[in-house]
Amino acid sequence: MIRALASVSWSDARRLIETGKVLVGSAVATSPRRRVLDGERIEVRLSAPRPETVRRRRLEGELVVYVDASVVVVNKPAGVSTIPYGDEDPAEQAATLDALVREVLARRDRLRGRAPLGVVQRLDKGTSGLLVFARTLAAKKHLAQQLRVRAMHRQYLALAHGAVPRGTYRTYLVEDRGDGLRGSARGGRREGQLAVTHVEPIEALRGGQQAEGAPAATLVACRLETGRTHQIRIHLAEAGHPLVGETVYVRDHRGARLPAPRLMLHAAELGFNHPADDRPMRFQAPPPPDFDDVLERLREAQGEGAT
């Protein structure tokens, strides 16, 4: 069909499709095997940018929040691993956050090869939000020291099951708490890594229950004093309030689980002193649409259930 529409050979038609010049409906078709349904509109745009160019422009516009010679602050999308863990295929390794940021920086600075980048902190694959990478060894050491002395500001927004009270969780996290899961050391023992999380409830979400009933979930702000693996997830789950969308730390949860497309955890605020001159840096990022959708669904259900 493209051959006839554009009056070209099959090989040229295939090249038009693979370089993003063909639209079916409003979407770019990049596979020559794409079947066209009756009634679908086909358009050939010779001036359309390549899909790779579109992806890079989107990354530059949405991924990088701030960049200079020392640091790059990124708004990580959910579903992307911060770094490769060694068991991914080449395509997955090329799509990790550090690889994407290197690509953006190399293009921005017109570098050949990989742009230098130091990992300072990580977010779980299912978590969205702000984190900082270092661009020099000196910056990495400076930022790592801020983490060690608990001088870096990190605040998350989360949706957690039940009525979450204000409080501070202070436990020692171990690789295996006794049941095969990472968690707090039994009996308050001081072994493993100290983890401190400050939790502040923002909004009770009744999720369709009657107004006098207990909230189905709570929108909370979680400020990290330390930054241990899965710290927020563990602390809230052990307190009886696993995050909405949690799939690991739910073994002890006896209540109903609210549906969500992923873990409802977002790194909303990030603050640190700049490695070059110690000036305070502060960044904020609103939750992405999937987080807002779940939050609004719970709010709407609350309104429908109220009397």
Side-chain angles (χ1 to χ4, degrees), residues 1 26 45 93-94 103 110 119 129 199 214 263 286:
M1 186 174 293
S26 59
R45 292 184 181 176
Q93 289 189 12
E103 177 185 335
R110 298 180 180 180
V119 177
V199 176
L263 189 71

Side-chain angles (χ1 to χ4, degrees), residues 186-231:
R186 299 294 191 184
R189 293 194 299 270
R190 296 172 62 121
E191 59 182 81
Q193 295 179 308
L194 176 65
V196 183
T197 307
H198 304 281
V199 176
E200 181 77 24
I202 298 173
E203 182 180 355
L205 304 161
R206 301 193 184 281
Q209 299 183 26
Q210 295 300 315
E212 63 272 19
T218 307
L219 173 65
V220 296
C222 301
R223 182 173 61 84
L224 293 185
E225 191 171 314
T226 58
R228 311 307 182 192
T229 302
H230 299 174
Q231 177 176 318

Side-chain angles (χ1 to χ4, degrees), residues 24-78:
V24 179
S26 59
V28 176
T30 56
S31 172
R33 297 181 181 179
R34 164 75 157 83
R35 292 180 177 273
V36 179
L37 304 177
D38 290 341
E40 284 190 312
R41 182 172 179 271
I42 302 174
E43 183 179 358
V44 178
R45 292 184 181 176
L46 298 178
S47 60
R50 289 174 173 267
E52 184 68 13
T53 301
V54 173
R55 185 177 75 90
R56 284 175 175 168
R57 289 175 182 172
R58 179 182 61 80
L59 285 176
E60 291 178 16
E62 299 178 4
L63 191 68
V64 175
V65 175
Y66 173 86
V67 60
D68 63 25
S70 299
V71 300
V72 53
V73 176
V74 177
N75 189 7
K76 173 188 169 303

Side-chain angles (χ1 to χ4, degrees), residues 16 41 98 110 125 138 170 212 214 226 238 247 267 297:
L16 286 173
R41 182 172 179 271
D98 71 324
R110 298 180 180 180
K125 184 175 183 179
R170 182 186 181 91
E212 63 272 19
T226 58
E238 291 181 345
T247 59
R297 187 180 73 225

